[in-house]
Amino acid sequence: MNDVPTPVQDYDVDAYRADFPILSETMRGKPLAYLDNGASAQKPRAVIDAMRNAFEHCYANVHRGAYDFSERTTAAYEDARETVRAFLNAGSEREIVFAKNATEAINLVAYSYGKTLKPGDKVLITEMEHHSNIVPWQLLREERGIELGVIPVSDEGEFLVDAYRDLLDERVKLVAVTHVSNVMGTITPAEKIVAMAHDAGAKVLFDASQAVMHMAVDVQALDCDFYVFTGHKLYGPNGIGVLYGKETLLDAMPPFLGGGDMIATVTFEKSTWAELPAKFEAGTPPITEAIGLAAAIDYVTAIGLDRIAAHERDLLTYAMQRLSAVDNFRAIGTAPNKTAVISFTLGDAHPHDVATIVDQQGVAVRAGHHCAEPLMHRMGVVGTARASMGLYNTRAEIDQLAAALDKVNAIFG
């Protein structure tokens, strides 16, 4: 076994932990070791305070009022859009659409961009996709007669570039893939995926729900066509997601939902659509959620995504060494380029039993198929337990998990 890595210097994890009120709580009478960040991350006080301030001091509906509170709330909402634009380095705020989550954002693209596809056209996904990036394309297949191709992954959970190349042909119109696997943490070769797709005449969508909290992203440099993520995994609130789309594509796409705020004019005979991004934001939007997301982005940006990534790499290395010493431990997904996510099995213990027993020791992990049933079949397991780490996790929490797994082994042998 390699020597234990040296922790990242000048990364004050205790100070960052103090920013998250919930981390001072206990679970089952034990110190809370929250290792379920892949499902949803905890919220720093900056996010909580930003949303509370909006509710307490200037809440109103946006875009419609001529009075002070509405104008101030509208400004805060649109400032949040600019924060997201800068975070992704999108070329324009017109390219940033707020949705309720990443799932809705992917469905928006499947519905609206999908109307440009015809029978026989192909969409490519991978074996490691979340259901949110599988089911919308299946629905589109049923509606429009497209074909759905699946890019395989290796036994280690790596994206297979040669297999991808073999699947790319003139009928492929869209490649919709995860940027980071929610199960294994595998980081897909995004730049190569885009370049190869564009050479074949296809567009590219990335599901970045597991990516943006772990790494800096520049959508212009990446040159992807669509990029989606959700707020609650980025230390922001639930109920907010983001779709980035190239302006030319969004401008040509029909609306996803109809209602107020997405129209320019309405008569009983005909309606016309608002300019981007309002065309895709029907009804009252997630106002305070957008404000909270902006606060979360400001928070991680202030720490530095590169520094967060270095801390998480240290945790991943330490965790793989520490957990591999636990009897019966088997990691699922061991690609060399991955984020701090470890899916695993423990002998004959069912993943749900693993999660239940470690819960008694104050450790929160996920268990099941993680909304990725096809990947479970590919890896030959019914499910896994998953420990997913974030900016506030510590080596001590990894030790706490390892000790809890010893108790699982004591029960199941």
Side-chain angles (χ1 to χ4, degrees):
M1 184 177 294
N2 296 331
D3 292 337
V4 175
T6 302
V8 178
Q9 300 300 306
D10 301 322
Y11 188 90
D12 193 346
V13 67
D14 290 333
Y16 303 139
R17 288 179 64 83
D19 292 335
F20 290 78
I22 202 169
L23 297 182
S24 63
E25 297 290 318
T26 59
M27 189 168 74
R28 309 292 188 186
K30 304 289 176 62
L32 170 64
Y34 186 79
L35 298 172
D36 194 23
N37 297 284
S40 197
Q42 299 300 339
K43 320 308 172 191
R45 192 171 299 281
V47 170
I48 298 167
D49 289 348
M51 297 179 72
R52 179 186 292 117
N53 181 73
F55 279 126
E56 290 183 348
H57 298 295
C58 66
Y59 176 79
N61 212 330
V62 295
H63 300 150
R64 297 165 187 159
Y67 55 93
D68 176 68
F69 272 23
S70 180
E71 291 172 348
R72 287 161 56 189
T73 305
T74 298
Y77 179 72
E78 293 303 332
D79 284 349
R81 194 186 309 277
E82 167 56 23
T83 297
V84 174
R85 185 213 63 76
F87 182 62
L88 296 179
N89 193 35
S92 167
E93 291 179 19
R94 291 166 57 88
E95 297 180 321
I96 302 299
V97 176
F98 286 131
K100 70 182 180 183
N101 48 40
T103 299
E104 184 176 75
I106 294 171
N107 275 271
L108 188 162
V109 176
Y111 176 87
S112 297
Y113 184 74
K115 289 188 178 299
T116 69
L117 304 184
K118 60 184 184 299
D121 287 344
K122 294 170 68 175
V123 173
L124 296 184
I125 59 175
T126 76
E127 286 185 306
M128 67 180 108
E129 300 306 318
H130 189 281
H131 296 165
S132 294
N133 200 32
I134 299 174
V135 178
W137 311 113
Q138 292 175 330
L139 294 173
L140 188 64
R141 180 176 60 190
E142 294 174 7
E143 177 187 345
R144 302 193 67 84
I146 66 162
E147 295 182 17
L148 192 59
V150 182
I151 305 160
V153 299
S154 72
D155 290 344
E156 294 72 35
E158 293 180 275
F159 181 95
L160 293 175
V161 174
D162 288 342
Y164 172 49
R165 182 181 292 108
D166 291 342
L167 288 169
L168 277 172
D169 59 36
E170 69 280 356
R171 292 196 296 137
V172 176
K173 304 304 179 185
L174 182 69
V175 178
V177 299
T178 186
H179 195 170
V180 171
S181 165
N182 72 305
V183 174
M184 304 177 295
T186 303
I187 302 173
T188 57
E191 293 83 359
K192 189 172 292 185
I193 290 169
V194 172
M196 292 171 65
H198 286 178
D199 285 347
K203 307 299 184 187
V204 179
L205 176 149
F206 284 108
D207 175 2
S209 297
Q210 301 286 340
V212 292
M213 68 292 294
H214 299 301
M215 64 185 75
V217 174
D218 183 332
V219 292
Q220 291 191 78
L222 184 56
D223 197 29
C224 59
D225 302 285
F226 303 102
Y227 199 82
V228 307
F229 70 91
T230 193
H232 69 98
K233 300 179 196 291
L234 183 58
Y235 309 100
N238 61 304
I240 182 75
V242 171
L243 165 65
Y244 158 80
K246 287 182 176 176
E247 185 171 343
T248 54
L249 293 173
L250 293 178
D251 202 41
M253 288 160 49
F256 176 46
L257 300 173
D261 224 30
M262 52 73 66
I263 49 85
T265 63
V266 175
T267 68
F268 287 119
E269 291 71 35
K270 180 179 176 60
S271 296
T272 59
W273 316 133
E275 295 293 318
L276 294 173
K279 180 173 74 170
F280 293 108
E281 295 183 6
T284 298
I287 301 166
T288 53
E289 290 84 355
I291 292 169
L293 174 59
I297 290 173
D298 287 342
Y299 180 81
V300 298
T301 301
I303 295 173
L305 282 163
D306 289 345
R307 297 178 68 245
I308 292 171
H311 172 69
E312 291 175 347
R313 281 194 299 271
D314 167 73
L315 286 179
L316 176 63
T317 302
Y318 181 78
M320 286 300 295
Q321 292 182 2
R322 183 72 176 84
L323 298 178
S324 294
V326 174
D327 289 344
N328 301 315
F329 175 86
R330 176 194 170 205
I332 305 296
T334 55
N337 190 23
K338 61 178 289 177
T339 59
V341 174
I342 301 175
S343 280
F344 63 92
T345 59
L346 202 70
D348 294 330
H350 192 283
H352 291 166
D353 292 327
V354 173
T356 299
I357 295 168
V358 302
D359 165 65
Q360 299 297 319
Q361 305 305 312
V363 181
V365 299
R366 207 70 168 175
H369 54 60
H370 314 293
C371 293
E373 287 189 70
L375 180 61
M376 297 295 112
H377 296 315
R378 165 64 183 87
M379 293 305 190
V381 295
V382 297
T384 68
R386 183 188 68 185
S388 48
M389 292 154 267
L391 69 86
Y392 42 62
N393 289 121
T394 66
R395 291 184 176 197
E397 291 176 315
I398 303 302
D399 293 337
Q400 189 176 343
L401 170 61
L405 294 180
D406 286 337
K407 292 187 179 295
V408 178
N409 276 322
I411 295 173
F412 286 92

